[in-house]
Amino acid sequence: MTKNPSKLKGAQILLECLHREKVKVIFGYPGGSVLDVYNALYESNLQHILVRHEQAAVHAADGYARVTGDVGVCLVTSGPGATNTVTGLATAYMDSIPIVVFTGQVPTMLIGNDAFQEADIVGISRPCTKHNYLVKSVAELPRIIKEAFYIARSGRPGPVLVDLPKDIIGAEIDFEYPEKIDMRSYKPTYKGNRRQIVRAVEEITKAKKPVIYAGGGVVLSNASHELGLFARQFQIPVTTTLMGMGCYPGTDQLSLGMLGMHGTYRANMAVSSCDLLIAVGARFDDRVTGDLNTFAAGATVIHIDIDPTSISKNIKVSIPIVGDCREILKDMIEVAGEKKIKKNDRKAWFYTIADWRNKHSIEYQMDAVIKPQYVIEKLYELTSGKAIITTEVGQNQMWAAQYYIFDEPRKFLTSGGLGTMGYGFPAAIGAQVAHPKATVIDIAGDGSIQMNIQELATAVQYGLPVKIAILNNMCLGMVRQWQQLFYKKRYSHSTFQRHPDFVKLAEAYGAVGLRAEKPGEVESVIKKALAVKDRPVIMDFVVDPEECVYPMVPAGAPISNMILL
Amino acid sequence: MRHTISVMVDNRPGVLSRIAGLFSGRGFNIESLSVNETLDPTMSQMTIVTRGDDRILEQITKQLNKLIDIIKVVDYESSGSDFIERELALIKVNVDEHKRSEVLSIIDIFRCKVVDVSRTHYTVEVTGDENKIQAIIDLFRPLGIKELVRSGKAAMLREHKIKA
């Protein structure tokens, strides 16, 4: 326990705890129940970003967490303030992102009374948080905050919500911050079982056609370096999931690109015909596996994951190893010792893969109109592949994943699990707050950008030079694509009759608005946008409305069953 | 297959709701449930009876273990050990003059207790495993059951038998 306790109000305790947890910035929106906290913030040097909608506060904290690896923090008021965080919480929960959300609550006496701006947010958020708390006395506040941060960042990370009744944040106690955490019911496993690791290494040295299938867990556990060493030592090709993008260098020879519904032909074929599949920090999501019965059907499966519930949930695993990806990969390298596979030993396997690579599945035809893929290729080229990319959800997300190649982790921010439209822009704001000098680009669709467009005001207020590239096809592209392919071209409510003029809209907010209508204008628009350093930019690319994302595996089909262009 | 799962949890508000939410959210079934404090008042013991194949049961126990407030999960069926299972029922049965002796003889055979008596009804308390409770209900049913309340199951592993 710390010495010299002093009397503090709940609100001050909250800020003091945030300071102890090394929180530098919070994203929030004030309201009645949290006025005491905002009053304390008035004289605090904690940076507070005032968003324009609470959902955006959570996505921004999530974006901040994804690029930094630190816990993102939000502060909102009770009732609607709290309920507006739900989509953000669910997004972070599905993608295992460490955030802590503080919500105001009506005074303890009024809870259950249908008081003004009362909502049972602990009840509402239970299934979409890793854990949550209703603080019932100011004395337990420091311990709860400490636990909240610990739970958010440890084990399989995730969002934690702390509900703060108004009387609790107004009450005073002697402040002591617990130095230790002791939770008898929560002890994540980090070290992998040695015997399983030895078995896995044996299988790897025997395998003729191995593939590594790396997911978001590699990013979360900062295991990219170890994954690289491991893949090269055993000469194993690597495919990444949408969430794992960048955890293995996309431009590396061993990289197969993304797998799954819109993955590369070579990745899907390699996984379908491999004899050993090493899943690292991935969860066999249905968008990855397609038909479960044919997924890696002939392969021995090694599954490394910190969450035991992910193991054997969808696919029967031969060698499960529960623990932290980084620790386990390190141990595997250590166990392997001098054992090594030379490139030559994998000649036949690499030859087959090279053949699949020649299929050029990630491809499009140039035209007189702008092709959305071309825009992303140009973004990649003009940023030298170094930008932080966020996406919305749908075609824009898949094209971003296919055409922007990532060599580093924590550069690609996307709502992989929940598929939240409106995620990309606020996440980009969070990323830009974390890295003010970085180039941050939200690759958006004309539909999803309008789900959190109000945050332009936030970005303008704080001078955040986030770039928004709208691939404007005047429709909900992915919905339209499915209607074209699977619903006999009955385009039910997927095309927009009217849009705002995005250039004028940007200008109205005090941002920069640019538009490209022909392929020849794309490059100059991007260059102009990249030169802006003090405010957000909207680039409105008028693209081919008919364009579809290919290759594509129909939902539930075997992933080798690809519709190519 | 039916499984009896013992779950040791932190005795905190909201824990039951987390568990119930987990079962409903993931499409698992709860057939019976009982909860009470343990010798250590900071912990509660839940006995959950559920149904599913091996894969589902594996998920249920793993998902339960993943909840922050849960200390220990034991699936008795999968543990391979013998265990004792009991439930309690209160049965309010008709006892007009013609039936009274029959009711009493059933009570005698099953070694249960009459805990409340009126001119028209006896309330019978019976404990036992599910088969016994079902049997007594089946016998009382033709005589007229006015009301029936059954508890969830309580279960406990047997100590190792003494070798002969």
Side-chain angles (χ1 to χ4, degrees):
Chain A
M1 292 285 171
T2 43
K3 281 174 193 161
N4 303 326
S6 50
K7 265 213 183 326
L8 287 182
K9 267 185 156 190
Q12 294 165 311
I13 290 173
L14 170 60
L15 297 189
E16 187 55 35
C17 293
L18 295 182
H19 176 67
R20 304 279 175 108
E21 291 296 332
K22 302 190 174 57
V23 174
K24 293 184 198 84
V25 56
I26 62 174
F27 300 87
Y29 205 96
S33 294
V34 284
L35 280 173
D36 281 337
V37 182
Y38 274 86
N39 191 43
L41 266 173
Y42 197 62
E43 56 208 355
S44 158
N45 24 15
L46 182 64
Q47 189 187 3
H48 177 280
I49 304 288
L50 175 66
V51 294
R52 297 301 187 269
H53 187 294
E54 289 90 350
Q55 183 193 346
V58 188
H59 291 327
D62 167 315
Y64 181 91
R66 290 190 205 221
V67 294
T68 60
D70 299 335
V71 178
V73 182
C74 286
L75 171 63
V76 301
T77 192
S78 64
T83 55
N84 275 343
T85 66
V86 171
T87 302
L89 288 166
T91 305
Y93 187 55
M94 286 286 264
D95 291 346
S96 311
I97 305 304
I99 56 172
V100 175
V101 173
F102 294 96
T103 52
Q105 183 54 279
V106 300
T108 317
M109 284 285 294
L110 288 178
I111 290 178
N113 248 345
D114 301 324
F116 177 64
Q117 291 194 330
E118 180 185 356
D120 173 17
I121 194 61
V122 169
I124 292 168
S125 66
R126 211 168 268 139
C128 59
T129 52
K130 183 172 172 187
H131 198 54
N132 60 18
Y133 292 92
L134 169 62
V135 184
K136 290 199 160 167
S137 98
V138 68
E140 57 179 23
L141 184 59
R143 175 187 58 81
I144 285 178
I145 296 176
K146 179 109 186 165
E147 284 182 9
F149 276 86
Y150 173 66
I151 291 170
R153 67 161 75 95
S154 59
R156 176 177 179 175
V160 179
L161 181 138
V162 181
D163 201 21
L164 304 163
K166 192 170 163 60
D167 55 321
I168 303 282
I169 47 183
E172 277 192 345
I173 49 149
D174 291 335
F175 174 64
E176 283 178 278
Y177 199 53
E179 272 162 21
K180 271 198 187 153
I181 292 247
D182 183 29
M183 298 177 71
R184 61 181 169 190
S185 54
Y186 177 66
K187 296 198 164 49
T189 311
Y190 289 94
K191 271 280 175 198
N193 180 298
R194 194 71 177 186
R195 215 181 314 154
Q196 296 289 76
I197 289 171
V198 171
R199 275 181 66 202
V201 171
E202 275 167 20
E203 287 294 333
I204 291 163
T205 43
K206 274 195 297 191
K208 294 273 173 285
K209 299 184 290 177
V211 171
I212 294 171
Y213 149 45
V218 178
V219 179
L220 294 165
S221 76
N222 298 312
S224 290
H225 177 66
E226 287 73 13
L227 180 70
L229 291 178
F230 174 74
R232 282 186 276 273
Q233 179 167 359
F234 293 105
Q235 288 295 310
I236 308 173
V238 183
T239 175
T240 60
T241 66
L242 186 69
M243 293 303 299
M245 205 67 78
C247 77
Y248 189 84
T251 55
D252 187 89
Q253 282 187 350
L254 286 173
S255 171
L256 298 171
M258 182 172 76
L259 82 164
M261 184 175 272
H262 295 293
T264 67
Y265 183 71
R266 61 181 190 278
N268 282 8
M269 292 309 287
V271 167
S272 301
S273 28
C274 67
D275 63 354
L276 177 69
L277 185 72
I278 308 156
V280 191
R283 61 186 177 89
F284 296 86
D285 173 76
D286 59 277
R287 285 295 190 266
V288 161
T289 62
D291 174 31
L292 282 168
N293 295 319
T294 53
F295 184 77
T300 303
V301 179
I302 298 172
H303 191 180
I304 301 170
D305 205 292
I306 199 156
D307 180 2
T309 67
S310 289
I311 288 172
S312 291
K313 182 169 69 179
N314 301 329
I315 286 270
K316 192 82 196 126
V317 173
S318 334
I319 308 179
I321 312 176
V322 174
D324 178 63
C325 298
R326 185 154 170 246
E327 296 283 330
I328 292 169
L329 288 170
K330 265 194 207 166
D331 286 352
M332 286 173 93
I333 293 166
E334 189 221 302
V335 166
E338 296 299 300
K339 270 182 222 160
K340 234 180 155 175
I341 304 279
K342 278 187 234 106
K343 214 172 164 185
N344 249 346
D345 303 336
R346 293 246 191 270
K347 225 161 137 189
W349 184 222
F350 288 149
Y351 202 76
T352 320
I353 290 173
D355 230 24
W356 289 325
R357 193 183 296 258
N358 290 336
K359 271 270 196 187
H360 296 294
S361 56
I362 307 295
E363 215 177 39
Y364 65 96
Q365 304 284 329
M366 273 301 269
D367 205 343
V369 289
I370 301 174
K371 289 290 182 172
Q373 301 94 324
Y374 174 72
V375 174
I376 296 166
E377 276 187 342
K378 279 287 158 195
L379 285 171
Y380 177 69
E381 191 185 308
L382 295 169
T383 56
S384 317
K386 300 262 187 267
I388 294 170
I389 301 291
T390 71
T391 76
E392 304 294 337
V393 166
Q395 289 184 320
N396 60 79
Q397 180 184 32
M398 290 301 115
W399 283 320
Q402 291 178 333
Y403 289 89
Y404 203 102
I405 301 163
F406 296 88
D407 280 336
E408 286 169 57
R410 303 198 179 278
K411 295 273 188 182
F412 183 61
L413 282 53
T414 194
S415 170
L418 195 68
T420 307
M421 290 171 72
Y423 168 81
F425 181 34
I429 288 176
Q432 190 80 75
V433 168
H435 298 305
K437 297 256 188 281
T439 302
V440 182
I441 305 172
D442 171 30
I443 294 177
D446 46 307
S448 38
I449 191 59
Q450 294 187 77
M451 286 211 183
N452 268 318
I453 192 84
Q454 76 288 344
E455 297 308 315
L456 270 173
T458 310
V460 168
Q461 177 174 334
Y462 295 96
L464 300 169
V466 171
K467 279 59 177 185
I468 302 167
I470 304 177
L471 307 174
N472 188 348
N473 55 10
M474 285 300 283
C475 65
L476 292 166
M478 193 59 95
V479 172
R480 202 209 65 94
Q481 174 169 341
W482 282 53
Q483 287 171 336
Q484 178 189 326
L485 297 174
F486 311 117
Y487 291 87
K488 301 186 176 135
K489 300 192 179 180
R490 288 157 57 88
Y491 299 124
S492 181
H493 303 280
S494 57
T495 50
F496 295 111
Q497 307 300 318
R498 282 298 299 264
H499 268 326
D501 179 330
F502 288 113
V503 172
K504 283 189 189 157
L505 185 77
E507 285 164 357
Y509 272 105
V512 177
L514 302 165
R515 178 173 295 123
E517 288 170 309
K518 294 192 203 82
E521 297 163 1
V522 170
E523 192 166 322
S524 74
V525 161
I526 295 174
K527 279 184 175 162
K528 270 186 219 158
L530 291 175
V532 179
K533 303 287 181 198
D534 60 347
R535 71 192 72 185
V537 184
I538 283 187
M539 295 171 269
D540 184 17
F541 296 103
V542 180
V543 300
D544 185 353
E546 306 270 296
E547 195 63 21
C548 288
V549 179
Y550 289 117
M552 181 179 190
V553 178
I559 58 166
S560 55
N561 196 354
M562 301 195 91
I563 307 173
L564 297 166
L565 181 66
Chain B
M1 195 186 147
R2 205 153 70 158
H3 287 246
T4 305
I5 303 173
S6 150
V7 188
M8 194 71 79
V9 303
D10 268 324
N11 189 1
R12 287 202 196 122
V15 178
L16 178 61
S17 148
R18 278 181 212 285
I19 290 174
L22 168 68
F23 273 77
S24 66
R26 294 193 179 266
F28 306 143
N29 276 317
I30 297 182
E31 292 200 351
S32 109
L33 170 73
S34 71
V35 196
N36 222 325
E37 228 173 68
T38 62
L39 277 178
D40 173 355
T42 68
M43 284 194 237
S44 289
Q45 156 86 42
M46 290 189 188
T47 308
I48 301 172
V49 179
T50 183
R51 198 178 275 280
D53 59 21
D54 289 351
R55 202 178 59 85
I56 289 174
L57 259 294
E58 185 181 334
Q59 269 298 309
I60 291 175
T61 47
K62 282 175 167 180
Q63 293 285 356
L64 282 169
N65 264 312
K66 189 171 160 182
L67 291 179
I68 305 281
D69 291 327
I70 285 180
I71 299 164
K72 197 177 173 193
V73 181
V74 180
D75 175 359
Y76 285 144
E77 263 82 5
S78 307
S79 74
S81 315
D82 242 3
F83 63 98
I84 308 153
E85 228 180 4
R86 291 291 180 269
E87 61 179 89
L88 175 138
L90 294 172
I91 309 166
K92 203 173 274 173
V93 63
N94 259 326
V95 280
D96 59 35
E97 279 151 46
H98 313 290
K99 294 174 181 164
R100 194 163 296 165
S101 62
E102 191 179 349
V103 167
L104 282 170
S105 77
I106 294 171
I107 288 170
D108 196 34
I109 293 165
F110 281 86
R111 280 180 297 241
C112 25
K113 263 195 300 190
V114 178
V115 289
D116 187 46
V117 179
S118 76
R119 231 184 299 165
T120 52
H121 291 92
Y122 282 181
T123 302
V124 180
E125 174 197 306
V126 50
T127 59
D129 62 16
E130 200 185 345
N131 292 337
K132 175 177 170 185
I133 307 255
Q134 198 53 56
I136 203 164
I137 290 170
D138 290 344
L139 288 170
F140 279 149
R141 199 188 300 269
L143 306 171
I145 294 174
K146 189 183 180 195
E147 216 182 323
L148 167 72
V149 179
R150 289 171 79 165
S151 73
K153 284 192 177 56
M156 193 179 263
L157 285 179
R158 283 187 195 276
E159 282 300 300
H160 294 296
K161 293 222 172 78
I162 300 162
K163 280 182 191 151

